[in-house]
Amino acid sequence: HAAKQLRRAGAARTQRSSPDGGSAPPATPRLEIGEAEFVVLCDALKVSESVREKAWKTYESLLAADGALACSKKKKETWGVCIFIVAIDLDEVTFTFTELLKSINISVCTFFQFLKEVDVNMDTVSTKVDSTVSRLKKKYDVLFALYHKFERTCGLIYLEQPSSEIPAELSSVLVLKNYWITFLLAKGKVLQVEDDLVISFQLLLCVLDYFIKLSPPAMLKEPYKSSISAVTVNGSARTPRRGQNRSSRTARQLDTDTKIIEILCKEHDCNLDEVKNVYFTSFIPFLNSAGIVASNGLPEVEVILKQYDELYLKNKDIDARLFLNHDETLQPDVIPCSQLERTPLKNNPDEEINVMLSQTPVRAAMNSIQQLIMILNSAADKPSDTLIMYFDNCTVNPKDSILKRVESFDQIFKKKFAEAVGQGWAEIGSQRYKLGVRLYYRVMESMLKSEEERLSVQNFSKLLNGNIFHTSLLACAVEVVMATYGRNTSQSCSTSAETDLSFPWILNVFDLKAFDFYKVIESFIRAEPSLTREMIKHLECCEHRIMESLAWQSGSPLFDLIKQSKEREGQTDQPEPTSSLNMPLQHNHTAADLYLSPVKSPKKKASGTPLSATSTPDAQPAVIPQTQKPQKSTSLSLFYKKVFLLAYRRLHTLFLHLLSEHPDLEPLIWTLFQHTLQNEYELMRDRHLDQIMMCSMYGICKVKNVDLRFKIIVSAYKELCNTNQETFKRVLIREEQYDSIIVFYNLVFMQKLKTNILQYASSRPPTLSPIPHIPRSPYQFSNSPRRVPAGNNIYISPLKSPYKFSDGFQSPTKMTPRSRYVTSEKFQKINQMLCNSECQLKRSAEVGAAAPKPLKRLRFDIEGQDEADGSKHLPQESKFQQKLAEMSEYYFSHNLHSTECLV
């Protein structure tokens, strides 16, 4: 009935709008504001008329592209997505995200996946909506991880069925509710960065500590029960006294009784000092300012519920109270929501598959932090005696300037951290900076030792008096600390996984250019062998982000270097000759080479001069005699080589997705791509490497009459590893004007390269650029299996422990399900078998028996072929030898971890 009324109203409006004033010709009745159920949904969400009308138009456009969305099952979900998109774009959000999910009966992760699916033409979802969705994903993943950690932890603290003497208001269900909502309120009030997993978990431990001390011992399990009982015996009252300041009382209580917080920190591998800092600087001020604590010390449920409701309605996002009810809208899919756009590992050829037991996000984060802290426990907050010796050997001693720089950045970092996280967290920022300083001095010393060994000199005056080198090295060290603490529920170098403190935040703090920061990354990784695999991958991702976009921003010293390179031998000179593309990339450059280049003629060998004599750093004009040509920049040459490698990898991956049936096109596309990067580098200014890649692919397909539309290209691009939709939705057209990549191609790329592109359609196309030699990652991961030299399918992995850091081991659990059952006794049996075999062979030789053919290598091949000598397994081989080969195959191929030697 409602639908009929709406149709009649629509028809009447059509008649009144007839241009000639007469009746309009008969037309198919059509609703202007949607079907009846759509209207009901809009009314339930209280959306405005403008949102209602535009959402319906969006739905119609989606329906035209995909008729399957009209089915009854998907129709309501599609309406909800359209309302969500339009409300955000128009800044007219009148509902919370949870209210929307409830209205269309869909879970968080299903909603995000469906939103991705309906963006068929890549123009439905704006970058503004992308940003909102990214924030919601991160917040949900963190909340989900924290709640499940909270639930498991409470199960270890409280008895399921406490004695009947416990008051009803202290039942386990009410206690959990009180705990969780208090934590949510504290998190929302004191944390500006809500997706910081580590800080949030430390705050959760503060809440647990507070409530445990207010709980009757009869409710608690050990060791918490004994700790609380000991406090009661010692006369520390849990019930507050009248007129006593609650903040000072709680502070004194924590000072005199740190047993509970110590147990919690030990159980969860948290740093005690950091948690205590959070307790005093954030949690206690929150309790005092919120006014939620009743006379018995416990927060009043009604008060915290009201305050959280106000916070939730203000943020208009996820109602995290529903975790307590295991609400279906908050149930996860198989993978975390923030990983929905990640590509499987097989799409990334450099990614080594390393099967390991799964860890919870919180446990993984705590393990990474503990490993870093254990590495830096032996490091000092000031230069070591060895560093002082290097400083003293310099022509100009850099010690004072180094110490002054470190102290100055301490205050800057502390201020910036507090601005990003919250003013109450300034000391936490200072603690993290100090860890970075320890790593900075440690890596600097390692670098100088390597340089001394390489160059046989000890005077590093030029390098150690360089401000950019020290700032970059210090920033890199602090970034490692920040990334370790900022480990989120998914580790990806995708920009969609960023937090407010993620790279490149550190560049803004240190006022550092991305190109200068890039120079230190490879040397930093090589100088610190204790870096975890995750941190090496993180720094490599930072390097990629710099090469793909950050180094090409306006104001980057990269453009000055390219300009100098062009002037070196005239405009025909190139930053990096194409002839070197198919040569292996040599990873033997050090930070000194990059920060002090150009320093020598390319034909001269390295000596001690570059580090002590006066030289010209990159991007700084030098006074050069007219008869002497400017020297080639090592840093620019290496940068271009790495950019070409990254560019070809990206292109090759996308090409396999789209044009595998046209293999002859790949060298043409690569030649255009490489030509643009090298000769039309201004097109990269304030743009992204992948934008040039996609335009090159489209341009070549166009002139070669291969039907490949931009829509198909960007659809495939979205599925690649570590991509962002903003790359093709928001491209610089001209100053401060942005549009889609299609507009960029037509108005900018094609206009600049039209002549060059048309050459590929002629009978004499341009000379093809060589395909770059693609090496594996130059970085050795500490937990990756290494091949035995001269071995045959034999790999050795470092020892990994199944125990936690708190038990005194330095490695988290990463054993495979099968290898964890291999014990030292089994290795002893293998050794015994080997020894017995050796004795038997010796005895056989003594009695003149024909000795069996020695095994040059263990045989692992399926068909029995020995790669060493091409022989087959001989039928007269002993069963022991065959068994040994089988056992070796099993043990070595399953990543066994042992300190015992097999032979």
Side-chain angles (χ1 to χ4, degrees):
H1 178 68
K4 289 180 180 178
Q5 286 183 329
L6 288 170
R7 290 192 185 96
R8 284 196 293 269
R13 280 192 292 271
T14 303
Q15 289 180 348
R16 285 194 297 270
S17 61
S18 178
D20 57 4
S23 61
T28 303
R30 176 179 172 275
L31 286 178
E32 293 182 4
I33 55 173
E35 299 177 12
E37 291 182 11
F38 175 78
V39 174
V40 171
L41 178 61
C42 291
D43 289 341
L45 296 174
K46 300 180 178 63
V47 299
S48 64
E49 285 297 322
S50 56
V51 171
R52 192 176 303 218
E53 292 177 10
K54 189 171 181 181
W56 182 255
K57 290 179 180 178
T58 303
Y59 169 70
E60 288 181 322
S61 65
L62 291 178
L63 199 61
D66 184 5
L69 297 175
C71 70
S72 58
K73 184 178 181 181
K74 286 191 175 182
K75 183 182 291 186
K76 196 170 185 179
E77 296 175 358
T78 310
W79 289 341
V81 165
C82 294
I83 292 171
F84 175 78
I85 292 170
V86 172
I88 291 174
D89 280 334
L90 298 181
D91 285 323
E92 295 183 21
V93 181
T94 56
F95 49 86
T96 70
F97 185 55
T98 295
E99 287 173 345
L100 175 64
L101 297 178
K102 290 284 189 182
S103 298
I104 60 177
N105 193 28
I106 193 174
S107 71
V108 174
C109 291
T110 305
F111 179 89
F112 291 146
Q113 182 62 29
F114 188 64
L115 178 64
K116 179 184 174 184
E117 292 172 359
V118 300
D119 192 18
V120 180
N121 293 316
M122 310 302 157
D123 56 1
T124 304
V125 179
S126 65
T127 55
K128 185 177 181 180
V129 175
D130 281 337
S131 177
T132 302
V133 170
S134 177
R135 182 184 64 83
L136 287 169
K137 284 179 181 179
K138 290 180 292 184
K139 184 167 185 177
Y140 168 77
D141 282 342
V142 170
L143 285 170
F144 179 79
L146 289 171
Y147 179 74
H148 281 267
K149 188 69 174 179
F150 163 77
E151 201 171 38
R152 288 191 297 270
T153 302
C154 287
L156 298 174
I157 296 173
Y158 288 94
L159 295 170
E160 293 181 7
Q161 294 181 340
S163 61
S164 57
E165 62 188 45
I166 301 300
E169 65 268 17
L170 293 178
S171 66
S172 58
V173 176
L174 291 176
V175 166
L176 288 179
K177 182 178 180 180
N178 212 338
Y179 273 34
W180 181 244
I181 299 176
T182 301
F183 164 68
L184 292 176
L185 188 59
K187 181 174 178 291
K189 292 277 190 180
V190 304
L191 260 181
Q192 292 174 204
V193 183
E194 290 192 281
D195 54 7
D196 192 304
L197 182 64
V198 174
I199 290 182
S200 297
F201 182 65
Q202 291 174 337
L203 185 61
L204 178 59
L205 292 184
C206 294
V207 175
L208 289 172
D209 174 82
Y210 180 80
F211 275 91
I212 290 172
K213 290 175 179 176
L214 295 172
S215 302
M219 292 182 63
L220 303 172
K221 294 180 180 179
E222 295 294 351
Y224 303 98
K225 181 178 181 179
S226 299
S227 301
I228 290 296
S229 300
V231 172
T232 305
V233 170
N234 292 333
S236 177
R238 291 192 305 275
T239 304
R241 299 172 184 173
R242 292 184 180 179
Q244 191 176 18
N245 180 272
R246 189 174 294 116
S247 176
S248 62
R249 181 182 67 253
T250 311
R252 281 201 301 274
Q253 180 180 336
L254 189 68
D255 265 343
T256 57
D257 172 34
T258 60
K259 189 66 177 175
I260 299 298
I261 201 71
E262 287 174 3
I263 294 173
L264 289 170
C265 288
K266 183 178 180 181
E267 283 294 316
H268 301 287
D269 293 318
C270 271
N271 184 282
L272 177 61
D273 291 335
E274 289 184 2
V275 177
K276 288 173 68 174
N277 196 312
V278 172
Y279 197 101
F280 286 117
T281 60
S282 298
F283 183 62
I284 294 302
F286 155 73
L287 287 179
N288 292 331
S289 62
I292 61 175
V293 180
S295 58
N296 63 351
L298 289 170
E300 296 182 3
V301 178
E302 292 77 12
V303 176
I304 59 175
L305 277 174
K306 182 180 178 182
Q307 289 197 22
Y308 178 75
D309 204 51
E310 292 172 355
L311 185 67
Y312 157 65
L313 293 174
K314 177 184 176 182
N315 294 333
K316 293 185 171 62
D317 51 21
I318 299 169
D319 187 352
R321 293 171 294 189
L322 298 179
F323 279 111
L324 292 164
N325 306 326
H326 299 280
D327 191 273
E328 59 182 9
T329 61
L330 297 180
Q331 294 309 300
D333 288 345
V334 178
I335 57 174
C337 289
S338 58
Q339 291 185 333
L340 286 174
E341 297 185 11
R342 294 192 63 191
T343 311
L345 289 176
K346 64 181 181 180
N347 288 339
N348 189 350
D350 289 331
E351 187 71 36
E352 298 180 24
I353 298 176
N354 189 16
V355 180
M356 60 182 68
L357 295 179
S358 60
Q359 299 184 79
T360 64
V362 174
R363 171 63 64 192
M366 294 302 110
N367 281 345
S368 297
I369 292 169
Q370 284 301 310
Q371 186 165 352
L372 177 68
I373 291 175
M374 292 179 74
I375 291 171
L376 297 179
N377 271 344
S378 59
D381 297 326
K382 58 184 180 180
S384 65
D385 293 340
T386 304
L387 276 178
I388 296 297
M389 180 194 71
Y390 282 121
F391 297 164
D392 291 340
N393 288 333
C394 291
T395 306
V396 178
N397 194 316
K399 179 182 176 182
D400 291 341
S401 63
I402 289 173
L403 294 177
K404 184 178 179 180
R405 185 183 297 106
V406 168
E407 183 180 356
S408 173
F409 276 122
D410 185 7
Q411 299 303 316
I412 294 173
F413 183 87
K414 187 175 178 179
K415 178 183 177 183
K416 294 287 187 181
F417 187 89
E419 289 174 356
V421 182
Q423 292 302 319
W425 304 87
E427 287 306 316
I428 296 293
S430 183
Q431 288 178 347
R432 296 186 185 180
Y433 177 79
K434 288 174 182 176
L435 285 175
V437 170
R438 290 184 179 186
L439 185 59
Y440 161 68
Y441 286 133
R442 176 185 166 103
V443 172
M444 188 197 308
E445 181 176 327
S446 177
M447 281 184 175
L448 294 179
K449 287 179 179 178
S450 297
E451 288 296 290
E452 180 182 4
E453 182 178 345
R454 183 174 73 103
L455 301 172
S456 300
V457 297
Q458 292 184 333
N459 185 353
F460 302 109
S461 185
K462 182 64 182 178
L463 179 67
L464 294 179
N465 280 284
N467 178 62
I468 295 178
F469 164 70
H470 282 291
T471 304
S472 302
L473 184 59
L474 179 58
C476 193
V478 177
E479 173 61 25
V480 167
V481 174
M482 293 299 293
T484 302
Y485 275 90
R487 180 188 177 104
N488 214 313
T489 52
S490 66
Q491 288 302 291
S492 162
C493 22
S494 171
T495 52
S496 63
E498 287 182 6
T499 67
D500 292 339
L501 302 178
S502 296
F503 185 82
W505 178 79
I506 200 73
L507 300 182
N508 297 325
V509 174
F510 284 82
D511 192 21
L512 189 63
K513 297 297 184 183
F515 182 73
D516 291 324
F517 183 84
Y518 140 84
K519 297 178 191 176
V520 84
I521 292 176
E522 186 172 329
S523 293
F524 189 99
I525 293 173
R526 294 182 179 281
E528 183 46 76
S530 299
L531 286 178
T532 63
R533 175 189 176 90
E534 289 76 16
M535 280 305 103
I536 293 175
K537 293 297 292 183
H538 172 74
L539 290 177
E540 200 172 13
C541 286
C542 293
E543 185 180 59
H544 287 177
R545 288 197 60 192
I546 291 171
M547 292 189 293
E548 69 190 14
S549 61
L550 297 178
W552 301 96
Q553 293 176 347
S554 295
S556 171
L558 173 62
F559 290 101
D560 293 330
L561 275 180
I562 296 175
K563 184 178 179 181
Q564 291 176 19
S565 176
K566 293 287 185 182
E567 294 172 351
R568 188 167 68 94
E569 293 181 358
Q571 289 295 320
T572 58
D573 187 47
Q574 299 175 337
E576 184 57 33
T578 56
S579 59
S580 66
L581 288 179
N582 56 358
M583 298 174 61
L585 178 61
Q586 300 297 321
H587 295 278
N588 54 2
H589 300 283
T590 67
D593 292 330
L594 303 185
Y595 284 98
L596 298 179
S597 72
V599 294
K600 58 185 181 298
S601 171
K603 297 181 180 179
K604 292 183 180 180
K605 295 183 179 179
S607 66
T609 306
L611 300 179
S612 57
T614 302
S615 57
T616 306
D618 286 343
Q620 294 184 12
V623 179
I624 302 172
Q626 294 182 356
T627 57
Q628 180 183 350
K629 295 179 180 179
Q631 296 173 341
K632 188 173 182 179
S633 168
T634 303
S635 61
L636 179 61
S637 176
L638 181 62
F639 178 80
Y640 255 98
K641 284 181 179 179
K642 286 190 171 186
V643 167
F644 288 153
L645 286 175
L646 178 64
Y648 180 72
R649 280 197 187 101
R650 297 271 184 88
L651 173 63
H652 183 66
T653 304
L654 187 61
F655 185 87
L656 292 179
H657 276 70
L658 296 170
L659 296 167
S660 57
E661 296 180 357
H662 302 275
D664 54 310
L665 293 184
E666 185 181 30
L668 302 181
I669 298 170
W670 167 241
T671 300
L672 176 60
F673 190 12
Q674 187 269 334
H675 166 82
T676 306
L677 293 175
Q678 185 158 277
N679 298 289
E680 304 294 345
Y681 58 88
E682 280 293 334
L683 284 176
M684 278 294 296
R685 188 183 292 272
D686 296 322
R687 296 189 180 98
H688 195 286
L689 183 72
D690 294 348
Q691 293 164 355
I692 307 300
M693 173 186 69
M694 288 185 277
C695 287
S696 299
M697 178 173 286
Y698 181 79
I700 293 298
C701 288
K702 197 77 172 174
V703 297
K704 288 296 183 179
N705 296 317
V706 175
D707 185 18
L708 182 65
R709 302 181 182 182
F710 246 123
K711 173 183 173 181
I712 305 300
I713 294 176
V714 296
S715 295
Y717 176 76
K718 281 207 313 180
E719 301 303 319
L720 299 185
C721 183
N722 308 321
T723 58
N724 192 316
Q725 295 192 39
E726 187 168 331
T727 304
F728 54 81
K729 289 185 176 181
R730 190 174 185 272
V731 189
L732 178 67
I733 306 301
R734 55 182 63 91
E735 187 176 358
E736 296 184 359
Q737 181 185 343
Y738 295 84
D739 213 312
S740 70
I741 192 168
I742 301 174
V743 176
F744 167 71
Y745 177 85
N746 290 326
L747 297 185
V748 182
F749 188 86
M750 187 60 183
Q751 301 304 317
K752 188 74 173 177
L753 290 162
K754 184 175 183 179
T755 303
N756 186 277
I757 293 174
L758 291 177
Q759 291 178 9
Y760 291 89
S762 68
S763 57
R764 300 181 63 183
T767 303
L768 298 180
S769 299
I771 299 297
H773 177 271
I774 305 297
R776 292 189 66 81
S777 171
Y779 310 121
Q780 288 284 349
F781 300 121
S782 59
N783 60 350
S784 298
R786 295 187 181 184
R787 192 178 185 118
V788 176
N792 183 18
N793 296 336
I794 303 176
Y795 295 82
I796 296 178
S797 294
L799 174 67
K800 298 181 178 72
S801 167
Y803 302 101
K804 298 186 300 182
F805 284 107
S806 55
D807 296 318
F809 293 83
Q810 294 191 22
S811 298
T813 299
K814 291 186 178 178
M815 299 182 73
T816 64
R818 297 178 69 178
S819 65
R820 67 187 308 184
Y821 295 109
V822 181
T823 62
S824 60
E825 289 78 7
K826 293 185 179 181
F827 282 108
Q828 290 174 356
K829 289 181 180 179
I830 297 174
N831 286 335
Q832 186 177 3
M833 293 172 68
L834 288 167
C835 293
N836 291 340
S837 173
E838 184 179 357
C839 295
Q840 290 173 4
L841 292 175
K842 287 182 179 179
R843 286 196 298 269
S844 299
E846 291 173 357
V847 298
K853 183 178 180 180
L855 297 175
K856 290 188 177 181
R857 296 180 184 178
L858 298 179
R859 300 181 175 96
F860 292 116
D861 53 292
I862 298 175
E863 299 176 359
Q865 182 74 26
D866 188 337
E867 293 179 23
D869 58 7
S871 62
K872 297 282 185 177
H873 284 290
L874 301 179
Q876 65 266 30
E877 280 184 334
S878 67
K879 290 184 178 180
F880 161 75
Q881 291 169 338
Q882 295 176 15
K883 185 66 175 176
L884 176 62
E886 294 172 2
M887 294 176 65
S888 300
E889 178 181 4
Y890 171 78
Y891 286 119
F892 281 99
S893 64
H894 285 83
N895 264 349
L896 299 190
H897 313 287
S898 172
T899 55
E900 299 184 35
C901 179
L902 292 179
V903 182

